[in-house]
Amino acid sequence: MARITTKWGASTWVPLLLLVLLALVPAWGYWAGETFYVAFFARMIIYAIAALALNLALGYGGLISLGHALFFGLGAYSVALPAFYGIDSGWVHLLVCIVACGVVGYITGAISLRTSGIGFIMITLAFAQMGYFLFVSLKQYGGDDGTGIEHTSRFFGLDLGGVYALYITAFVVLVLATWWMARLRVAPFGMALRGARQNARRVNAVGLPARKYLLTAYVISAILCGIAGMLLANLTAFASPSTLSWIVSGDLVVMIVLGGMGTVFGPLLGAMAFMGLEEIMKSITDHWMAVFGLAIVVIGLMGKAGLVGLLQSVSQARFGKAAQAAHKEAAP
């Protein structure tokens, strides 16, 4: 009898195919002279990294955070503030980003985890808004208008202010982060984290400190989200308090829901679907927001599995038919 397997179903090979196509974008953009689309896909990749970071807290740990824009903005200003004083070392920018997001993530996470449910959501939102108004008040750095970045990050002579250098760097970060998240999901830490999402008391009962696991995941998520903000600042050569707005946090949550919460490739699929649909709708109609909102509702009705769940359903249906055909062939 034929051996039927769904290990490499559509939910796996479709995202991998998308990653291959994304890897070819710089070559296509250079050949076609389409720098705009290289920058657009770079932005898409950056938001996919940010969504991947939030998915660690939300999808794996069940921490519904509306405050990750705080770390996204801190990452952007980790480039802007040193650059304001003429510092263009990418290592300094990265160090500031990791330390700032790590410390702020630990403090805000430790406080927020004292609550749960709607309380956690509102506290994380409040912290993000505090950060937003803090940077709005810094008039010497542009205040509400934001600040331009003259000195973008340089690593070993590589200037991330160039769209191609930035794209390749962001793509490598996305691939490594996705691979790491896939390994983490089945690692003991990831399994304990997912267990804490289901029932923290039972995790504590077996001797594992659920709160420490959740706090660790929150801090890692904050740092990775900050790195995404750092990449965005280099792409746009600009940092603004708008990156700390709750709307950014909401967009990241929607991306995860669209792609599939708690899945490995969900953030990638969600970010591409969200930003791709937005760009397409803008080119079709001036009332794109109404159509875009309806499309999000339809996809959201698929459940928390999102696009990944849809691809899994397609694979199961296909392999189900293959199994039936194999059974008929084996029947006497």
Side-chain angles (χ1 to χ4, degrees):
M1 182 180 292
R3 184 171 179 265
I4 306 297
T5 177
T6 60
K7 182 178 180 180
W8 288 91
S11 60
T12 299
W13 64 260
V14 168
L16 291 177
L17 177 61
L18 288 175
L19 286 174
V20 172
L21 293 176
L22 287 173
L24 298 176
V25 167
W28 170 80
Y30 183 80
W31 176 76
E34 295 287 351
T35 307
F36 169 79
Y37 287 104
V38 177
F40 171 71
F41 282 106
R43 187 180 183 90
M44 188 179 290
I45 288 174
I46 289 169
Y47 273 88
I49 296 171
L52 193 73
L54 179 57
N55 191 47
L56 175 60
L58 173 58
Y60 290 10
L63 302 175
I64 306 176
S65 170
L66 280 182
H68 265 56
L70 171 62
F71 311 117
F72 199 58
L74 284 176
Y77 276 96
S78 295
V79 178
L81 297 185
F84 183 82
Y85 297 101
I87 300 175
D88 64 353
S89 172
W91 300 110
V92 173
H93 298 169
L94 182 60
L95 178 62
V96 172
C97 175
I98 292 175
V99 172
C101 292
V103 172
V104 175
Y106 180 83
I107 294 173
T108 59
I111 296 173
S112 301
L113 282 170
R114 292 180 176 274
T115 64
S116 61
I118 190 66
F120 183 88
I121 297 173
M122 297 307 296
I123 289 179
T124 55
L125 174 61
F127 278 126
Q129 289 302 102
M130 289 169 61
Y132 171 81
F133 287 112
L134 171 63
F135 282 102
V136 166
S137 67
L138 299 178
K139 301 301 182 182
Q140 65 271 34
Y141 302 116
D144 194 26
D145 296 326
T147 179
I149 300 175
E150 295 184 9
H151 306 281
T152 48
S153 304
R154 292 178 178 271
F155 294 91
F156 298 117
L158 180 67
D159 186 4
L160 294 189
V163 64
Y164 291 100
L166 187 282
Y167 186 99
I168 295 172
T169 302
F171 179 76
V172 170
V173 172
L174 174 64
V175 171
L176 292 177
T178 302
W179 171 80
W180 184 75
M181 289 292 180
R183 296 293 300 272
L184 179 67
R185 192 170 188 271
V186 295
F189 176 82
M191 295 178 70
L193 190 62
R194 289 191 289 154
R197 179 193 63 190
Q198 298 294 332
N199 194 318
R201 291 183 178 180
R202 290 187 177 180
V203 173
N204 288 326
V206 297
L208 298 176
R211 186 176 173 184
K212 289 184 178 180
Y213 277 86
L214 291 172
L215 180 57
T216 301
Y218 190 84
V219 173
I220 295 174
S221 175
I223 294 173
L224 184 56
C225 195
I227 292 174
M230 178 181 167
L231 292 171
L232 181 65
N234 279 283
L235 176 66
T236 60
F238 186 75
S240 168
S242 62
T243 54
L244 292 93
S245 170
W246 67 269
I247 297 176
V248 175
S249 297
D251 288 345
L252 295 179
V253 172
V254 172
M255 291 176 190
I256 294 173
V257 173
L258 286 179
M261 288 191 297
T263 61
V264 175
F265 293 112
L268 171 63
L269 295 178
M272 295 192 69
F274 184 93
M275 302 187 72
L277 280 173
E278 181 180 2
E279 193 67 20
I280 293 172
M281 295 302 176
K282 284 180 179 178
S283 64
I284 295 176
T285 175
D286 292 335
H287 306 289
W288 64 272
M289 294 186 71
V291 181
F292 184 55
L294 181 61
I296 291 177
V297 170
V298 171
I299 299 175
L301 290 175
M302 298 176 184
K304 68 176 184 178
L307 294 174
V308 170
L310 178 62
L311 293 175
Q312 288 174 344
S313 299
V314 171
S315 296
Q316 290 172 359
R318 181 168 62 88
F319 281 104
K321 292 179 180 179
Q324 291 179 0
H327 180 71
K328 290 180 179 179
E329 292 178 1

